[in-house]
Amino acid sequence: MRRLPWFLLGVPSVAWAHGGETHHLNAHDVLRWWTWDPLVLGMLAVSGVLYARGLRALWRHAAPGKGVRGWEAGMFALGWVTLGVALLSPLDRLSDILFSAHMTQHELLMLVAAPLLVLGRPHLTALWALPEARRAPVARAFQGPRARAVWRGVTGPFVVLVLHAVARWVWHVPALFEAALENDAVHAVQHLCFFGTAALFWWALLRGRYGRAGYGVGVLFVFATAAHTSILGALLTFARSVWYPLYARRAVEWGLGALEDQQLAGLIMWVPSGALFLAMGLALFAAWLGESERRADIATGESPAPGETGP
């Protein structure tokens, strides 16, 4: 039987050692490892239905594409699917065995799902998903000075930079990471920390860019996050010993090399993730230049040409 190529799922080949005999699994076997966790399914179903309901109500009240543009709704859909892939697909089961699979899962949550969902303006669709009589009171409550002050504090660029950095580094401390592997509740908290701080980080950069920070600081913070993430990835890649003994034991049971698996996990955090950060940083830099030109035109009394207005 052919072994599963590691590049098919982004992880090394999987083998099952049982009773001294090693059984290799092919791609067809592994691709059937969907978990269908009821809690995750329920959360995905509720969030998807609420978004669709709110989007439908908003577009019926205004017009299709108003408030939430079509491409933004598409971004939310892609982020929603990415969450499903990360948490329900065979990748979730493989993450209990392979550190590289676990790393892939975390990067999907933080670098793909989080920014895509933020781009979909879920806060707006969530408001429109409420009964009509409740929308105005809820909107007033969240627009009050106290609520706005708390939100500005939580999503301040420096705050989200530190929060996300702390989440990334602290959860890779061996004692905490192995606790997440052994306890489902701790694992859920780990995922919430990764995804929650990433969502706040991308919200501050993508939705809060006209506040105190602006595009320029956004570019700086994206590259700062890319830098410290790459350092952590490099430490994992070039480590001479396995950081997580539990993965070492599981690797032996599955006929795999634990150190090689850890090196692959480090490379996933270092290279593909770094490339994504670079692309996002360059996109913000281009937006920063465009916004600077637009403001310069306004300051000099010149009207921007059609199609050159800022977002």
Side-chain angles (χ1 to χ4, degrees), residues 28-309:
H28 181 265
D29 295 325
V30 175
L31 290 172
R32 296 170 65 182
W33 283 4
W34 289 80
T35 56
W36 306 120
D37 185 286
L39 179 59
V40 176
L41 280 172
M43 292 175 64
L44 285 171
V46 169
S47 62
V49 168
L50 287 177
Y51 188 88
R53 176 179 174 178
L55 187 66
R56 180 169 178 257
L58 173 61
W59 283 358
R60 286 181 64 181
H61 176 79
K66 297 294 184 181
V68 176
R69 288 167 283 187
W71 70 267
E72 291 173 327
M75 293 298 100
F76 181 90
L78 286 175
W80 187 85
V81 170
T82 301
L83 280 180
V85 170
L87 300 175
L88 296 174
S89 78
L91 188 62
D92 184 59
R93 183 172 171 186
L94 284 170
S95 70
D96 291 332
I97 304 161
L98 297 168
F99 184 25
S100 53
H102 210 165
M103 183 66 73
T104 302
Q105 184 184 46
H106 291 165
E107 296 306 309
L108 284 176
L109 290 173
M110 293 184 282
L111 275 180
V112 181
L116 287 175
L117 292 173
V118 166
L119 285 171
R121 297 181 182 269
H123 62 297
L124 190 55
T125 58
L127 179 64
W128 281 87
L130 296 173
E132 187 173 355
R134 298 290 301 162
R135 290 174 197 159
V138 170
R140 284 195 297 269
F142 280 99
Q143 290 175 355
R146 181 175 299 179
R148 290 171 68 89
V150 170
W151 183 246
R152 282 196 302 269
V154 172
T155 59
F158 182 75
V159 173
V160 296
L161 175 70
V162 172
L163 284 177
H164 191 45
V166 168
R168 275 190 176 268
W169 283 83
V170 168
W171 277 109
H172 282 91
V173 172
L176 287 177
F177 201 97
E178 293 206 323
L181 290 174
E182 295 182 302
N183 187 293
D184 288 340
V186 177
H187 200 184
V189 173
Q190 182 192 56
H191 281 180
L192 284 174
C193 287
F194 282 148
F195 178 77
T197 58
L200 289 174
F201 177 84
W202 293 113
W203 182 280
L205 299 184
L206 299 174
R207 292 299 179 204
R209 56 183 178 261
Y210 294 113
R212 294 165 294 172
Y215 287 112
V217 176
V219 173
L220 176 62
F221 283 5
V222 165
F223 284 114
T225 302
H228 77 71
T229 299
S230 297
I231 291 171
L232 180 56
L235 290 174
L236 287 165
T237 302
F238 293 113
R240 296 184 178 181
S241 61
V242 176
W243 285 19
Y244 310 112
L246 185 57
Y247 269 132
R249 293 194 296 272
R250 293 179 181 180
V252 171
E253 295 172 359
W254 288 75
L256 300 168
L259 188 58
E260 291 79 4
D261 178 44
Q262 178 176 290
Q263 290 168 346
L264 178 58
L267 285 172
I268 290 170
M269 176 182 280
W270 186 4
V271 181
S273 299
L276 279 174
F277 271 121
L278 177 62
M280 293 174 181
L282 291 175
L284 279 174
F285 183 72
W288 179 31
L289 292 179
E291 179 66 9
S292 298
E293 291 178 0
R294 187 181 73 88
R295 291 182 179 180
D297 289 339
I298 293 174
T300 57
E302 298 178 8
S303 298
E308 294 183 358
T309 56

